[in-house]
Amino acid sequence: MSAITFAVQLLNGVQYGLVLFLVASGLTLVFGILGVINLAHGAFYMLGAYFAWWIAAYTGSFLMALIGGVALSFMLGLLLENVFVRRLYGRDHLAQVLLSFGLILVVDELRQILFGKDVYSVKPPPWLEGSIQLTDNLSYPVYRLALCLFCLVLAALIFYVIQRTKLGMIIRAGAENRDMTRALGIPFDSVNRYVFAGGIALAALGGILVSPISTVYPGMGDGMLILSFVVVVLGGIGSVAGAAIGALLIGLTDTFGKVFFPQVSSILIYVLMAGVLLWRPNGILGKREA
Amino acid sequence: MKASSQSWIVAIALAVAIALPLVAPTYYVQFASKALLMGLLAVALNLVVGFGGMVSLCHAALFGLAGYSLAFLTPEGEGASIWLSLPAAVLVSSFAALVIGALSLRTKGIYFIMVTLAFGEMLFYLLHDTKIGGGSDGLYIYLKPEFGFGGAALDLERASTFYFVVLVCLVLGVALVSMLVRSPFGHALVAARDNERRARSLGFPVYRIRLTAFVISGALAGVAGYFSAAQFGFVAPQLLGWHLSATVLVMVVLGGMTSVLGPLAGALAIIGLEEVLKSNFEYWKLIYGLIVMAMVFVLPGGLQQLASMVLGAKPASEDDAVERDMTAPHDDAATDRLRPELLRSEAKAHV
């Protein structure tokens, strides 16, 4: 493998990992802060992609699709939190698993009714079309590069919000000790709502961002859900930094696995997960048991 | 419900089950076989979920692996011998359960759910993406297993014979699980569910007990998977997918996790509901999903709660099904599970 192909694969792996990070960070925040396991996370990833296709088909603008898709998903998240998820705080995980499973069925069927089950593609914005010529017969699409950059900026923003802002402080305090936070008169419960909606929006954003490079299809959420779970298990529940490490590990393992060991590439990431479980059952950045 | 009235219900249900193939047309007999096999899977899963307190989302994979084993072991042009293929299939499922369980049980709570889900999906993708089991097309099993002993043989191709074999398996499976939960092993499993720390400090090898339960449950899931594959004559990766695992979990919760037979009732109810919805509505999954969501809020106690609401009786307590281990901490156990702050503090975030 030449250095340039290696670099291209590396870039692919990093880009895949970055998208994975966006989706998985939404999941890990909802886990860590609300204590809610959301199996429907993948369904919102899929829904985001369909929103993007739908809006892009009407307006012809990818930017509109991006903004509109995220806004729609965020509002949907607020609504769901208000109607259903709120009643689940404090219920056992089994109830959360069942509710989110029911939610998947409903979302899938609504998608079927609204958008059908066809496979679609979304055009990237015109100024990001085309590709950079690397060698005579090797080029790299501009959109993928822009995607990397966008994800990096967003990741920095997420870290900034959580580490440096008042909102982030409330989130961290609530995650550490919910009752104490509440007792101190901090409006933790209203923050919950936005965390859940934000998690959904991040999943949808992932789906929107990949819609120009992969196709939009009904089963796209299932694979993503499992991958995000593996990322969270690798990184440690509730840890956004862990999710970043886990996502990059998975992105690189998967990309290079497909190149070097195509026969077993589909199970490589699970082997990785098994290894991490043996080494650190609570994830790489997870807390050790008290 | 009192123990006596419960055994009456069971006796009547068993009589109906035995009489069914004598009166019902073939289609319904086949449908009933399918429902009973789902019931066996649900009973198996409940050993882990209800009595063990471990929410597993990989049981469909264990179920499907046994089906694939039958497909691999069925020679061309004839049926596989049940004496060889059934133990082999169950062994494959148990071994998979042993490996997955050994790794997953290093974690608990949300982690356990996610890890079992991920390993189950690993097996799904293994069969879906590689050519081992015919890829996404799956494999056909043209002939049902041959069930011969001595000179005689049971013809499993006959729907009613197949149904009775399934019924016997189910009864044996239920008997095994009932025996287990009443045994010291079962008491220790329940004690570990209710208060792990205390069970451990009393000297119970919690990890080993849970792993044993997980493997037994996987073996029973394998029996169900073996016969399901034999019935449909076809295995596909979807058999291992986590949607089936979640559906069986719905059956378990609907039927009630505190009794051995509850999940069987839940399975029959869900299979019946699916059939009714499928034949009446185009978008049946929408209604089905809404019913599942409503169940979480309206009927957290499942069918048992519904029955007691209708009959006006006091809700069946856990003691009906399992006499608690005297060493298990009664009060703590009951209240710990209800105190939200304890449950929520399990999952702490640290960024």
Side-chain angles (χ1 to χ4, degrees):
Chain A
M1 183 189 272
S2 71
I4 193 94
T5 354
F6 182 81
V8 167
Q9 293 297 346
L10 187 69
L11 212 54
N12 276 340
V14 169
Q15 175 248 307
Y16 184 38
L18 283 170
V19 173
L20 209 51
F21 164 71
L22 282 191
V23 179
S25 66
L27 195 65
T28 207
L29 281 173
V30 172
F31 278 147
I33 292 158
L34 309 181
V36 168
I37 177 168
N38 182 13
L39 293 178
H41 204 67
F44 291 108
Y45 171 81
M46 181 269 298
L47 204 59
Y50 271 89
F51 279 155
W53 163 76
W54 183 57
I55 298 172
Y58 271 95
T59 62
S61 151
F62 181 74
L63 207 64
M64 286 294 285
L66 182 74
I67 297 167
V70 170
L72 268 179
S73 315
F74 189 81
M75 286 188 300
L76 192 62
L78 282 181
L79 180 76
L80 286 173
E81 201 276 346
N82 236 321
V83 181
F84 299 113
V85 181
R86 147 173 316 202
R87 298 155 195 249
L88 281 183
Y89 300 145
R91 290 276 298 272
D92 57 2
H93 300 321
L94 193 53
Q96 301 164 353
V97 166
L98 294 187
L99 180 84
S100 47
F101 176 61
L103 201 57
I104 291 179
L105 296 174
V106 171
V107 168
D108 253 357
E109 209 72 337
L110 284 178
R111 188 259 312 139
Q112 180 92 349
I113 294 168
L114 291 173
F115 307 121
K117 59 176 174 190
D118 293 338
V119 173
Y120 299 108
S121 64
V122 179
K123 263 189 167 359
W127 46 281
L128 287 178
E129 268 174 312
S131 43
I132 300 169
Q133 206 68 30
L134 294 172
T135 61
D136 291 341
N137 50 9
L138 208 61
S139 60
Y140 203 77
V142 179
Y143 181 79
R144 279 176 184 264
L145 281 177
L147 180 58
C148 284
L149 210 64
F150 184 75
C151 289
L152 278 175
V153 170
L154 217 60
L157 191 70
I158 293 172
F159 276 106
Y160 177 80
V161 167
I162 288 171
Q163 296 295 347
R164 292 273 181 272
T165 63
K166 179 111 191 267
L167 178 72
M169 215 193 298
I170 296 175
I171 288 175
R172 277 180 295 145
E176 202 58 48
N177 192 330
R178 174 186 314 267
D179 296 316
M180 187 63 79
T181 314
R182 232 185 249 129
L184 290 170
I186 293 161
F188 180 59
D189 292 300
S190 59
V191 170
N192 272 350
R193 191 175 316 146
Y194 296 108
V195 169
F196 183 80
I200 299 286
L202 279 171
L205 179 63
I208 296 167
L209 289 175
V210 301
S211 62
I213 47 177
S214 82
T215 47
V216 178
Y217 62 100
M220 65 191 290
D222 253 4
M224 201 47 161
L225 172 75
I226 309 299
L227 283 174
S228 329
F229 271 24
V230 176
V231 166
V232 173
V233 170
L234 284 181
I237 286 177
S239 164
V240 174
I245 296 173
L248 286 176
L249 263 177
I250 300 262
L252 293 173
T253 309
D254 193 69
T255 309
F256 283 103
K258 280 197 179 112
V259 177
F260 292 119
F261 318 99
Q263 270 89 36
V264 293
S265 68
S266 56
I267 63 162
L268 265 186
I269 53 168
Y270 303 101
V271 175
L272 181 72
M273 180 178 84
V276 169
L277 282 177
L278 286 173
W279 171 46
R280 292 189 69 128
N282 288 332
I284 296 172
L285 291 188
K287 271 188 191 164
R288 299 227 166 196
E289 241 177 278
Chain B
M1 270 179 277
K2 279 182 198 145
S4 61
S5 71
Q6 213 169 21
S7 49
W8 268 108
I9 294 173
V10 171
I12 292 169
L14 199 60
V16 170
I18 291 170
L20 183 94
L22 309 174
V23 289
T26 312
Y27 173 78
Y28 289 101
V29 176
Q30 284 169 341
F31 178 70
S33 302
K34 178 183 144 192
L36 291 186
L37 286 170
M38 279 298 130
L40 179 57
L41 181 57
V43 169
L45 179 64
N46 191 39
L47 178 63
V48 170
V49 176
F51 296 100
M54 305 170 262
V55 181
S56 158
L57 275 178
C58 70
H59 268 60
L62 306 173
F63 173 86
L65 271 187
Y68 266 93
S69 307
L70 173 63
F72 284 131
L73 288 170
T74 302
E76 227 168 296
E78 53 180 321
S81 159
I82 199 169
W83 301 113
L84 180 80
S85 56
L86 180 58
V90 171
L91 210 64
V92 168
S93 293
S94 318
F95 181 71
L98 180 68
V99 175
I100 294 177
L103 284 166
S104 313
L105 282 169
R106 292 173 62 81
T107 65
K108 47 177 82 90
I110 288 185
Y111 268 111
F112 184 82
I113 301 175
M114 291 196 292
V115 173
T116 50
L117 175 63
F119 280 127
E121 286 300 281
M122 174 185 87
L123 294 170
F124 168 83
Y125 283 114
L126 189 67
L127 288 168
H128 189 270
D129 294 350
T130 64
K131 286 282 146 216
I132 306 172
S136 55
D137 295 335
L139 294 171
Y140 283 96
I141 303 164
Y142 291 106
L143 289 163
K144 290 198 169 55
E146 276 165 16
F147 196 165
F149 39 90
L154 285 174
D155 181 15
L156 292 186
E157 302 286 347
R158 266 190 62 188
S160 56
T161 313
F162 189 86
Y163 171 83
F164 279 120
V165 171
V166 167
L167 187 62
V168 168
C169 284
L170 177 69
V171 170
L172 290 177
V174 168
L176 174 71
V177 175
S178 314
M179 238 170 56
L180 276 177
V181 300
R182 272 162 231 245
S183 71
F185 168 80
H187 290 291
L189 183 68
V190 171
R193 174 198 74 190
D194 288 342
N195 193 327
E196 184 180 343
R197 201 170 289 179
R198 221 173 278 195
R200 191 165 291 173
S201 65
L202 285 165
F204 290 112
V206 170
Y207 178 82
R208 226 183 315 150
I209 288 170
R210 286 184 172 157
L211 187 57
T212 309
F214 199 79
V215 172
I216 294 171
S217 167
L220 283 175
V223 175
Y226 175 90
F227 282 104
S228 285
Q231 183 178 18
F232 297 123
F234 176 68
V235 284
Q238 276 69 31
L239 218 54
L240 287 83
W242 76 270
H243 279 239
L244 178 60
S245 298
T247 306
V248 181
L249 213 49
V250 173
M251 295 171 183
V252 167
V253 174
L254 179 67
M257 298 186 292
T258 52
S259 73
V260 175
L261 279 171
L264 175 60
L268 299 182
I270 291 285
I271 295 278
L273 177 72
E274 264 186 23
E275 191 72 6
V276 171
L277 289 178
K278 253 184 223 171
S279 51
N280 286 310
F281 302 98
E282 192 187 351
Y283 297 110
W284 67 276
K285 276 193 174 163
L286 181 68
I287 302 165
Y288 180 57
L290 288 173
I291 291 175
V292 170
M293 288 168 75
M295 188 186 89
V296 174
F297 296 118
V298 184
L299 218 59
L303 289 175
Q304 288 180 354
Q305 189 191 357
L306 189 69
S308 58
M309 267 155 59
V310 172
L311 302 172
K314 158 173 141 298
S317 77
E318 198 150 318
D319 300 80
D320 287 350
V322 200
E323 265 179 60
R324 277 175 185 277
D325 193 327
M326 287 312 287
T327 54
H330 290 230
D331 306 329
D332 284 11
T335 45
D336 274 3
R337 280 158 66 76
L338 294 173
R339 272 163 60 190
E341 65 271 29
L342 281 177
L343 285 166
R344 290 169 82 185
S345 62
E346 256 176 45
K348 284 184 179 168
H350 37 95
V351 179

